[in-house]
Amino acid sequence: MHTGKEVSNVKNRKMVRLDDGTKVYDFIDKDGNIFAKVHIRPSDISFLDRKEAANEKLTQIGHQLEAADQVTDLEQRMQMFHDAEKAVVDLLNWLFDTADMTEVFKVYGPLAIHPSGRFFCTMVVEELSKVFEEAIAEEKRLMNDRVENQPNT
């Protein structure tokens, strides 16, 4: 059964475009300006397992930041902070199965402190987690509907 759509023929090679469920989410600031776009598949059920592992890794990164606070050499401390920021971005790319987190943090770094006293990355994780959790709940509901509506054989 052919479910895709043929989109081009490059040097006798046929290509098919499939909808993998990827959606684009705009990140907007308080004034309504778009500052980043993220491409994710929110119904990716393996997100739940990755989130558990990511929470453990974020705790480790937090310990690294605490250790950096004890370093008196400013250059070394800044390098440790930079390494922690990179680790957070890489972790969130893995968690949300995207490559767009660098874009999200280009204006405000992941470890920037929001006026509420929270890390900016924490706010991003909370908001994107809601998107995933809602999409996964909907996918489960649809799956249950399909199972319930299957004819008895």
Side-chain angles (χ1 to χ4, degrees), residues 5 8 14 16 19-20 39 45 55 60 66 68 82 84 102 112 126 129 151:
K5 179 181 175 186
S8 69
K14 299 204 183 249
V16 175
D19 180 358
D20 67 352
H39 299 77
I45 200 154
N55 284 335
Q60 292 173 2
E66 289 171 359
H82 175 73
T102 301
E126 288 172 358
S129 291

Side-chain angles (χ1 to χ4, degrees), residues 27 96 118 122-132:
F27 278 70
F96 295 110
R118 298 167 57 221
T122 303
M123 298 167 63
V124 169
V125 168
E126 288 172 358
E127 291 305 313
L128 284 179
S129 291
K130 289 178 195 173
V131 169
F132 271 80

Side-chain angles (χ1 to χ4, degrees), residues 71-114:
V71 173
T72 56
D73 180 86
L74 183 58
E75 192 171 313
Q76 184 181 1
R77 182 188 295 181
M78 292 307 293
Q79 184 61 51
M80 292 173 78
F81 185 80
H82 175 73
D83 292 346
E85 281 196 322
K86 183 179 180 336
V88 168
V89 172
D90 291 346
L91 180 65
L92 297 186
N93 276 331
W94 172 75
L95 172 61
F96 295 110
D97 192 22
T98 187
D100 297 336
M101 286 297 136
T102 301
E103 170 116 359
V104 172
F105 298 117
K106 72 181 177 190
V107 175
Y108 306 105
L111 301 177
I113 303 294
H114 184 267

